[in-house]
Amino acid sequence: MVNKPLSNSSNFSFITVVLFWCTLVVVSCVYLTIPLITIFADVFKVSSSQAAWAGSAFSFAFAGGGLFFGVLSDRFGRKKMMLSGLLLLTVITPLIGSVSSLSWLVALRAIQGLAASMFPPSVLAYAMEMFPIKRRITIIGFISTAFLMASIVGQIYSSYIVLYFSWSYIFYILFAVYLISFILITFFVPNDKTQQPDGSFLSAFLRIGYIFKRKSLPLCYIISATLFISLVGFFTTLGSYLNSSLFGLSHQDILWVRAVGIIGMLVAPFDGRLVAKMGVKNVLWCGLIFAGIGLGLLGLWPNLIFLVSMSVVFIIGIAMALPALISLIGHIAGEIRAIAVSFHMFMVFIGASLGPILSIYLINHGGFLFSFEVLAGLLCLSLIVPFFIRLEEPRSYSASSQNETYANSAK
């Protein structure tokens, strides 16, 4: 059963806002614990490396779950999977605030990661299937913006709460946020039709192997992982850098520095226009170049204004590269687009899992500048990858009309 695009144009803007909001609050959960590493280390009497697992456990579960539930959404429906994830988040999240040991915190964060992983691949597939062609790149741009803004909003939210309350209230308040989001999706987002794919339950997962048979597609996933290793590693290093004796900023000051990065993320909704004018690979290259330059220059001069400026340049680059990368994956994948995007999400959050671990290791062994430069080096190496990606006309799609957007953007 093929989903028919939504036809009531008066609801498009509101549905876009709802999907943007829900994506933002779900994905923000990935980044909640980045500013809390030192707090967890003090509260639970552990090292910062051990405390970082509160974030990495979530990200690993989020990455694996995204691939698993992305495939399941083909069989059970996109909206049902989104609702299931939000309902489980509503139940699990307040329990995290009541833990008294790091092991329980890490375990519940992993379960929370599995619950949250039901949402992102489902919302992207819903946007691709249910929105008309002319609005499809726009909604993907807004969802990509939510993914990026979550990296800052999640940190700002948790940093702000711990200024006035204990860290437990971060998770107690999110209970209400997820409950409201569940209600919004239930009543204001139209139902999609279950795809009911051919074959057994396990055959759906065997289709994952098809993405490695599609030329150039696996290369895209190198960039998927690299982008988020750099992004999460950047935020982890930045927080420690600003809190060091060199700057000595308070948590509230660091909060405002992080907030400025949102300016750079406003590029993402307009990425579709850039792709139409420049081509998807050129926009991807430009984004990687901007990100590499911003991150590479970040630690060279210990001046706060310069640091904030380079942070914005770095975020602009990421905001340009991510929607272009999703469009590129969609174009190459053809009829297996849903699985290909799910695997992209898997690689993205593998990168998000490795980011804090890598950055803390680099800081401990070489300092802040060393961490920034290694992360920038990864981005520069990823610039080579698009040279080996060939853009060909995609194979037969399940709905041929959906290809026009991607075919035009690849020219």
Side-chain angles (χ1 to χ4, degrees), residues 285-307:
W285 264 317
C286 288
L288 291 172
I289 291 170
F290 269 96
I293 291 174
L295 192 53
L297 296 177
L298 200 63
L300 295 181
W301 185 22
N303 176 277
L304 188 59
I305 295 176
F306 177 78
L307 185 148

Side-chain angles (χ1 to χ4, degrees), residues 226 229-230 358 373-383:
T226 302
I229 288 175
S230 301
L358 176 62
E373 297 307 313
V374 170
L375 294 172
L378 288 175
L379 286 172
C380 291
L381 286 174
S382 68
L383 280 168

Side-chain angles (χ1 to χ4, degrees), residues 66-67 70-71 74 78 121 124-125 128 204 207-212 214 216-218 220-221 224 325-348 397:
L67 184 59
V71 174
D74 282 339
R78 317 302 185 192
L124 276 171
M128 289 179 178
R207 294 185 67 206
I208 294 174
Y210 294 164
I211 63 178
F212 296 101
R214 193 62 51 93
S216 300
L217 195 55
C220 296
Y221 299 131
S224 301
L325 180 61
I326 294 173
S327 294
L328 183 60
I329 290 171
H331 172 74
I332 296 172
E335 73 280 0
I336 59 169
R337 186 185 301 126
I339 294 176
V341 170
S342 295
F343 199 82
H344 160 74
M345 298 302 305
F346 172 75
M347 293 303 297
V348 157
Y397 284 25

Side-chain angles (χ1 to χ4, degrees), residues 115-190:
S117 69
M118 296 182 183
F119 195 91
S122 301
V123 73
L124 276 171
Y126 183 93
M128 289 179 178
E129 294 169 357
M130 298 297 290
F131 276 68
I133 294 170
K134 293 181 180 180
R135 297 178 181 268
R136 198 162 293 147
I137 287 183
T138 300
I139 181 62
I140 291 173
F142 273 97
I143 291 173
S144 298
T145 304
F147 273 109
L148 293 173
M149 287 184 65
S151 64
I152 293 180
V153 171
Q155 295 179 72
I156 292 175
Y157 165 72
S158 60
S159 298
Y160 183 81
I161 296 300
V162 295
L163 285 176
Y164 302 101
F165 307 98
S166 72
W167 65 268
S168 298
Y169 281 87
I170 293 170
F171 300 97
Y172 296 152
I173 295 171
L174 278 177
F175 161 77
V177 172
Y178 291 135
L179 180 60
I180 292 170
S181 300
F182 176 84
I183 294 170
L184 287 173
I185 293 287
T186 300
F187 293 104
F188 299 106
V189 172

